[in-house]
Amino acid sequence: MSGAAGARPPGLRGRLRQFRPRTRPRYKGPSFNRLVPNILTMLGLCAGLTAIRVALDAQWEKAAVLIVVAGAIDGLDGRIARMLKGTSRFGAEFDSLSDFLCFGVAPALVLYMWTLHDARGIGFAPCLLFAVCSALRLARFNASIVDAPALPLTGPPPKPAYAQNFFTGVPAPAGAGLALFPLFAALTFEGWDLPGLAAAVRHPAFVGPLLVLVGGLMVSTLPTWSFKNFKVPAEYVLPLLLGIGAYVAVLLTEPWAALAAAGFIYGGMLFFSARSYARLKREAEAMLEPVLVGGGEGKG
């Protein structure tokens, strides 16, 4: 008798096992949702690299648009990471490296190739200083978000409550926008057929000191609004929406003028941001002073 003929027929358990649904293999690793923020950061990094590439071909409009796109992506990836609960140390470091290239190296190189190369060797000094300031600012930011140290008396002290809505210094994306203000303004004046004003804002004597000033603001301790938990009073909601709609209309019709105006307005807001921080600090100290005085009297 052959082996096939002598084999026993499968029992009931064996027949049921044939119809059992197959289980999918389980893989170790993060879900795709947690990778979305890192993918956005990578797209922003590619936009910054491409901005340098097109600037080599003197395509200044495309270079400026790509840096703006990188800034928009940078504003989204962190919020999406918090929404999807995909924040990680790797993502924070990757985002900082991307920011350094997109908002530190790319604007400096674009402005150097656009106008500062006319000043020969000295024209590269403001670009170098701006990139270094960007790196220092991002390194300081990374040092402030490290995990709590093992020893309670080490590490930077936590921010007081009134300082939670403020950055220390100008953020890197905002610094890139301020640095590119001459490029935005020159493109605006060229579109309006005002070559004299376009040449004035393009002159290295204007662009170089502006780069140095913005670099200093990035590494300074100037408190600037973060707009993360910014609350709008109810009576200002409708005017704010109308203002945003008007700005979007200008952005679609005169994009370079709108971007130049945004940089000018943000630069003017720095004074009011510092004044608001000082007022909140005085109010907080005034609220703590009676408690300290009362505690001293009780000990006496």
Side-chain angles (χ1 to χ4, degrees):
M1 182 181 292
S2 63
R8 297 178 58 184
L12 178 61
R13 181 178 299 179
R15 290 194 297 268
L16 292 177
R17 188 180 293 115
Q18 297 177 359
F19 298 99
R20 183 181 299 172
R22 294 183 179 179
T23 58
R24 293 189 303 173
R26 295 182 178 273
Y27 300 102
K28 294 183 179 180
S31 63
F32 181 79
N33 289 343
R34 294 174 179 261
L35 295 178
V36 170
N38 293 332
I39 294 174
L40 290 175
T41 302
M42 185 177 61
L43 293 177
L45 177 62
C46 294
L49 289 169
T50 309
I52 299 175
R53 165 67 180 82
V54 297
L56 293 173
D57 295 333
Q59 300 179 19
W60 315 118
E61 296 87 352
K62 292 183 179 180
V65 168
L66 287 169
I67 294 177
V68 172
V69 169
I73 293 175
D74 181 73
L76 291 175
D77 57 3
R79 288 170 174 79
I80 292 178
R82 288 186 290 271
M83 289 174 57
L84 299 177
K85 298 180 180 180
T87 57
S88 63
R89 186 65 183 171
F90 171 82
E93 296 293 340
F94 186 30
D95 184 71
S96 294
L97 292 174
S98 175
D99 288 353
F100 171 63
L101 187 137
C102 295
F103 311 124
V105 176
L109 290 180
V110 169
L111 291 175
Y112 177 76
M113 290 182 283
W114 180 56
T115 182
L116 289 175
H117 71 279
D118 295 336
R120 300 186 183 275
I122 196 173
F124 186 69
C127 304
L128 184 64
L129 180 62
F130 179 82
V132 170
C133 290
S134 176
L136 292 175
R137 190 227 147 43
L138 293 170
R140 183 178 64 184
F141 178 78
N142 283 357
S144 67
I145 62 174
V146 294
D147 297 334
L151 297 177
L153 298 181
T154 60
K159 283 187 176 182
Y162 62 86
Q164 296 297 324
N165 294 330
F166 292 87
F167 289 124
T168 302
V170 174
L178 292 175
L180 291 176
F181 171 79
L183 178 58
F184 297 149
L187 293 175
T188 301
F189 293 139
E190 289 175 0
W192 292 349
D193 197 16
L194 297 173
L197 292 176
V201 296
R202 186 173 182 171
H203 198 278
F206 175 72
V207 179
L210 181 64
L211 265 181
V212 175
L213 175 62
V214 175
L217 290 174
M218 292 171 66
V219 297
S220 69
T221 57
L222 179 72
T224 59
W225 282 317
S226 66
F227 298 104
K228 290 182 178 179
N229 299 318
F230 188 77
K231 294 183 179 180
V232 181
E235 60 271 18
Y236 294 116
V237 172
L238 183 58
L240 178 64
L241 294 177
L242 292 176
I244 293 175
Y247 181 79
V248 172
V250 177
L251 183 64
L252 294 176
T253 55
E254 293 287 345
W256 305 122
L259 292 173
F264 186 80
I265 293 172
Y266 182 83
M269 288 172 57
L270 296 179
F271 169 77
F272 298 99
S273 176
R275 189 177 68 172
S276 175
Y277 181 88
R279 177 178 58 82
L280 293 174
K281 183 178 180 181
R282 287 195 303 268
E283 292 177 355
E285 292 175 349
M287 293 176 64
L288 290 175
E289 185 175 356
V291 177
L292 296 176
V293 173
E297 292 177 350
K299 292 180 180 179

